[in-house]
């Protein structure tokens, strides 16, 4: 239980990054698979070779990830390269760069060095207390992202993923917005990578492979669960208004959904392991989870229209969901 | 205010698809001019607007706005001077953002976009006042998603967003063409009101000849990339749709059916 929550919360930071590119910018960014390792490698090498403070190492990991995002952004915005290809190119190049960062090794162990986790252990932050601390950290990241997306710049970024022509006609440089978005996104991914490296006690060249799927699964699972009228109704209530506000509600609900989605994804993975699948099956299971999450909304509409075809409420609901799809 | 000198533009030059979009276009708009633009499909009307907005870079010639040469200026930088409303009601707003977020975005036309809150109490109040002008009740739905609005409401909002941020030039590209007649009348009415109030220099493309004669103080007709008629003031006021059709008919080599013009 605590393992599920712990991993779910840490990977939620990465999932928030994926949400930023995938949902807000509408940019399927595959850089994530390696920028995660870039963050982990940067933090690990700074801690091992330069005795860096573990928290500062997290900051450095954010910057390293952000740089990777900027490269992808430049390839796409200035070079006119297709988003998917730009991401793949950076991802491939980063594999070599990550090996370089780690001193031409595939693995940098952190044993015997001070990390965030040794600090947690020394101060008795374990078990549920650790979950609480991690929840607060993730909440801070979420709030920072919420705030950023609600600023003048953030609105420009949101609209860039929504209607490029329109934001340009109001003087927003969509190129700049995409680069900023990719930088912040991959910065968050790098941050999560550094966190995981400190948790597992090593940075490994293959630790990020397939992570884009984990991020997508979290985003899509969260959305599948949160995009319904119950959440909308709740958001309209007094408590909902207090939690999600009215200024940037869509984003606040979505980032919450992403965090919940990340935890549910972990629970699903742990469940699969518990019923006898082995870790080698994880990619397959991740893919199946994503497919199921993508199919839930369609399936929901079909069963509803079968059971109550004449209900106007359902029809209206159907129309809105259809319009969204 | 706006000056186009010797603009030439050829699409796909030296290929089998070569098409002359603009040929030697010269156009000068005084401050506060409201010009309607008519012409058959492919006459170059949209290309003129795109050239002014910076979407199309001319092969030769210069574009200057308020005495400033902007020929090489990128479209998003030129947006500081140029407001646009598109034909498609979906094109002028961001559907996933709320009404107030869209307006906050529009309000910062040509300004730096920093890390200050996009929506504040005072902005909300200001936006509500602006929206009241539309008389569509949108001022009560500030935090509703724009994607939920009807086409007419979205187009009215687009018009408001394009204009309340004080551009120097307003470009309207058949912005009533996709609306039903009643909504089209409403948006046309709003257009005249806003343009008059803010004394905006406006260029409006339309397929509706009656509308072209009705609004604005000047009318230009385009054909095959050239401006073939330019009337203003009383001369324009005295014109009828039949006069315009006669003008069209008098152009040699032009095979234009009345139906495409009057649609």
């Amino acid at each position: 239980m605590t393992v599920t929550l712990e991993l779910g919360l840490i990977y939620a930071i990465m999932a928030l990054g994926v949400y930023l590119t995938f949902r807000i910018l509408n940019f399927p960014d595959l850089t994530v698979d390696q920028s995660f390792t870039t963050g982990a490698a940067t933090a690990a090498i700074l801690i091992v070779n330069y005795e860096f403070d573990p928290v500062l190492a997290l900051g450095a990991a954010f910057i390293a990830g952000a740089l990777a995002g900027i490269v992808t952004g430049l390839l796409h915005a200035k070079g006119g390269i297709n988003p998917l290809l730009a991401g793949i190119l950076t991802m491939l190049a980063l594999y070599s760069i990550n090996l370089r960062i780690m001193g031409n090794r595939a693995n940098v162990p952190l044993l015997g060095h001070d990390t965030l986790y040794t600090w947690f252990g020394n101060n008795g932050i374990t078990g549920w207390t650790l979950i609480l601390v991690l929840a607060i950290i993730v909440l801070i990241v979420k709030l920072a992202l919420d705030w950023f997306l609600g600023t003048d710049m953030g609105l420009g970024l949101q609209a860039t993923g929504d209607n490029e022509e329109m934001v340009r006609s109001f003087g927003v440089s969509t190129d700049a917005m995409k680069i900023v978005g990719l930088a912040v996104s991959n910065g968050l991914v790098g941050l999560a990578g550094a966190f995981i490296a400190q948790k597992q006690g090593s940075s490994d060249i293959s630790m990020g492979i397939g992570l884009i799927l984990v991020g997508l699964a979290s985003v899509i699972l969260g959305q599948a669960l949160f995009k319904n009228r119950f959440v909308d109704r709740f958001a309209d209530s007094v408590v909902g208004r207090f939690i999600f506000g009215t200024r940037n509600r869509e984003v606040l609900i979505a980032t919450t959904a992403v965090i919940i989605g990340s935890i549910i994804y972990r629970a699903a993975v742990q469940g699969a392991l518990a019923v006898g699948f082995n870790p080698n099956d994880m990619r397959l299971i991740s893919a199946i989870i994503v497919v199921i999450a993508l199919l839930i909304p369609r399936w929901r509409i079909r069963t509803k229209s079968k059971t109550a075809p004449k209900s106007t409420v359902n029809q209206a609901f159907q129309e809105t969901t259809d319009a969204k799809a | 205010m706006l000056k186009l000198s010797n603009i030439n533009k050829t699409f796909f030059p030296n290929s089998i698809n070569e098409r002359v979009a603009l040929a030697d276009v010269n156009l000068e708009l005084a401050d506060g001019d409201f010009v309607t633009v008519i012409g058959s499909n492919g006459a170059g009307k949209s290309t003129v607007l795109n050239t002014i907005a910076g979407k199309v870079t001319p092969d030769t010639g210069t574009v200057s706005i308020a005495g400033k040469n902007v020929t090489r200026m990128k479209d998003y930088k030129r947006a500081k001077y140029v407001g646009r409303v598109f034909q498609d009601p979906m094109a002028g707003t961001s559907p996933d953002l709320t009404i107030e977020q869209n307006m906050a975005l529009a309000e910062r036309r040509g300004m730096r976009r920093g890390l200050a809150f996009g929506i504040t109490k005072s902005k909300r109040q200001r936006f509500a006042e602006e929206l009241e002008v539309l008389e569509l009740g949108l001022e009560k739905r500030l935090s509703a998603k724009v994607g939920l609005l009807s086409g007419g409401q979205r187009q009215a909002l687009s018009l408001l967003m394009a204009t309340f941020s004080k551009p120097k030039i307003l470009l309207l590209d058949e912005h009533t063409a996709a609306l039903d007649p009643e909504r089209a009348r409403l948006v046309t009415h709003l257009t005249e009101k806003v343009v008059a109030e803010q004394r905006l220099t406006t260029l409006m493309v339309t397929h509706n000849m009656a509308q072209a004669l009705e609004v604005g103080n000047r009318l230009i007709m385009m054909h095959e990339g050239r401006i073939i008629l330019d009337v203003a003031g009383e001369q324009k006021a005295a014109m009828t749709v039949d006069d315009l059709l006669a003008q069209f008919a008098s152009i040699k080599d032009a095979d234009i059916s009345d139906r495409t013009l009057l649609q």
Side-chain angles (χ1 to χ4, degrees):
Chain A
M1 181 70 185
T2 51
V3 177
T4 304
L5 282 171
E6 186 184 352
L7 288 173
L9 285 168
I10 300 174
Y11 280 107
I13 299 175
M14 177 213 59
L16 285 171
V18 172
Y19 160 76
L20 182 60
T21 44
F22 189 74
R23 278 284 167 228
I24 298 281
L25 275 182
N26 223 344
F27 189 113
D29 176 30
L30 297 188
T31 319
V32 171
D33 263 25
Q34 285 298 329
S35 61
F36 185 81
T37 317
T38 307
T42 308
I45 226 65
L46 287 174
I47 290 171
V48 172
N49 288 6
Y50 303 94
E51 309 269 308
F52 243 58
D53 182 273
V55 178
L56 284 181
L58 288 180
F62 181 92
I63 294 170
L67 287 174
I70 290 173
V71 173
T72 304
L74 287 172
L75 286 177
H76 169 66
K78 302 293 173 193
I81 297 172
N82 166 290
L84 271 174
L85 187 56
I88 290 172
L89 287 170
T90 316
M91 178 184 84
L92 288 173
L94 277 179
Y95 186 85
S96 299
I97 291 172
N98 290 339
L99 285 171
R100 283 269 180 184
I101 293 174
M102 295 197 285
N104 288 317
R105 279 174 297 171
N107 190 291
V108 177
L110 288 164
L111 278 173
H113 294 276
D114 278 342
T115 68
L116 222 50
Y117 267 76
T118 54
W119 185 82
F120 283 155
N122 294 339
N123 288 280
I125 301 174
T126 50
W128 285 100
T129 329
L130 177 61
I131 300 301
L132 188 68
V133 170
L134 288 175
I136 292 169
I137 293 171
V138 173
L139 195 65
I140 292 170
V141 173
K142 171 194 145 57
L143 290 175
L145 188 62
D146 290 343
W147 163 77
F148 172 66
L149 287 173
T151 62
D152 284 323
M153 192 193 282
L155 289 180
L157 203 146
Q158 288 195 52
T160 297
D162 207 14
N163 189 345
E164 228 174 286
E165 185 80 358
M166 170 260 181
V167 274
R168 287 180 81 86
S169 82
F170 286 109
V172 177
S173 163
T174 47
D175 289 351
M177 285 300 137
K178 285 180 187 168
I179 294 170
V180 168
L182 284 162
V184 174
S185 163
N186 283 287
L188 290 174
V189 172
L191 180 66
F195 226 108
I196 290 292
Q198 299 196 34
K199 179 198 149 41
Q200 70 183 28
S202 72
S203 162
D204 190 279
I205 189 66
S206 63
M207 66 194 288
I209 294 173
L211 266 189
I212 183 69
L213 207 55
V214 177
L216 280 182
S218 309
V219 172
I220 292 165
L221 269 176
Q223 198 180 350
L225 286 167
F226 271 63
K227 272 238 157 127
N228 56 54
R229 40 205 168 127
F230 303 110
V231 173
D232 287 345
R233 220 172 277 161
F234 173 73
D236 271 333
S237 70
V238 181
V239 188
R241 273 166 188 273
F242 179 73
I243 297 175
F244 299 121
T246 51
R247 288 176 186 175
N248 201 10
R249 185 201 284 173
E250 285 278 313
V251 166
L252 267 67
I253 294 177
T255 50
T256 312
V258 169
I259 295 170
I260 306 287
S262 172
I263 292 168
I264 291 172
Y265 170 80
R266 280 298 143 191
V269 168
Q270 298 290 342
L273 288 173
V275 297
F277 286 98
N278 70 50
N280 293 335
D281 299 328
M282 279 307 104
R283 298 276 158 77
L284 176 65
I285 291 166
S286 300
I288 291 171
I289 291 173
V290 173
V291 170
I292 292 173
L294 284 170
L295 293 183
I296 287 174
R298 287 165 174 271
W299 171 79
R300 194 157 55 189
I301 293 163
R302 211 165 291 155
T303 46
K304 280 219 171 114
S305 53
K306 260 181 205 158
T307 47
K310 276 180 188 163
S311 150
T312 47
V313 178
N314 273 331
Q315 266 171 10
F317 173 64
Q318 211 177 318
E319 273 159 24
T320 49
T321 34
D322 279 347
K324 271 171 202 157
Chain B
M1 178 50 67
L2 171 72
K3 193 174 177 190
L4 302 179
S5 334
N6 306 314
I7 302 279
N8 280 283
K9 178 72 188 178
T10 305
F11 287 122
F12 317 111
N14 306 320
S15 78
I16 196 159
N17 293 319
E18 183 176 276
R19 191 164 63 80
V20 177
L22 295 177
D24 221 16
V25 170
N26 286 287
L27 181 66
E28 192 163 357
L29 265 62
D31 203 356
D33 260 358
F34 188 160
V35 182
T36 51
V37 187
I38 54 171
S40 50
N41 290 330
K45 308 180 300 284
S46 294
T47 314
V48 167
L49 292 203
N50 285 331
T51 307
I52 298 167
K55 282 273 159 204
V56 167
T57 315
D59 298 333
T60 65
T62 55
V63 181
S64 42
I65 297 172
K68 197 172 181 236
N69 186 340
V70 296
T71 316
R72 301 278 148 200
M73 195 188 253
K74 285 222 173 92
D75 62 337
Y76 70 87
K77 291 210 169 126
R78 226 185 275 189
K80 186 176 175 183
Y81 310 109
V82 183
R84 300 192 76 175
V85 181
F86 305 90
Q87 176 177 4
D88 178 3
M90 306 297 146
T93 45
S94 176
D96 279 349
L97 296 185
T98 62
I99 294 178
E100 57 187 5
Q101 285 176 325
N102 268 282
M103 293 189 72
L105 202 66
E107 200 190 28
R108 293 201 74 74
R109 172 193 297 285
M111 288 191 261
R112 253 195 90 243
R113 285 164 206 271
L115 296 175
F117 275 115
I119 309 292
T120 60
K121 243 183 199 161
S122 63
K123 278 193 190 179
R124 270 191 171 162
Q125 203 169 356
R126 200 159 63 238
F127 295 161
E129 282 165 18
E130 295 282 350
L131 285 165
E132 268 172 35
V133 179
L134 302 181
E135 290 170 19
L136 292 170
L138 296 183
E139 63 275 6
K140 295 188 194 76
R141 299 171 63 190
L142 279 177
S143 50
K145 266 170 72 170
V146 168
L148 301 172
L149 304 183
S150 71
Q153 288 172 326
R154 283 183 76 166
Q155 201 65 330
L157 180 63
S158 302
L159 180 69
L160 183 69
M161 283 166 58
T163 52
F164 92 118
S165 44
K166 307 266 186 296
K168 291 197 186 304
I169 290 163
L170 178 63
L171 304 177
L172 307 167
D173 193 354
E174 295 184 48
H175 69 310
T176 59
L179 306 177
D180 65 65
E182 197 184 329
R183 291 289 168 201
R185 254 196 303 282
L186 172 82
V187 172
T188 309
H189 169 69
L190 285 170
T191 308
E192 287 184 287
K193 192 164 142 187
V194 174
V195 169
E197 266 170 19
Q198 307 200 21
R199 291 194 33 79
L200 286 166
T201 308
T202 307
L203 213 56
M204 177 171 115
V205 170
T206 176
H207 262 135
N208 182 334
M209 289 203 180
Q211 189 189 36
L213 288 169
E214 204 178 283
V215 301
N217 64 336
R218 189 172 159 193
L219 179 146
I220 60 176
M221 187 190 283
M222 293 192 70
H223 183 62
E224 291 183 345
R226 291 174 196 278
I227 295 175
I228 53 159
L229 179 74
D230 187 342
V231 291
E234 285 174 19
Q235 200 189 347
K236 173 183 178 257
M239 279 194 117
T240 62
V241 173
D242 287 337
D243 292 338
L244 285 179
L245 287 173
Q247 278 286 346
F248 263 115
S250 73
I251 310 158
K252 290 207 166 176
D253 321 313
D255 59 355
I256 305 159
S257 89
D258 295 352
R259 250 174 301 135
T260 57
L261 291 164
L262 284 168
Q263 63 181 265

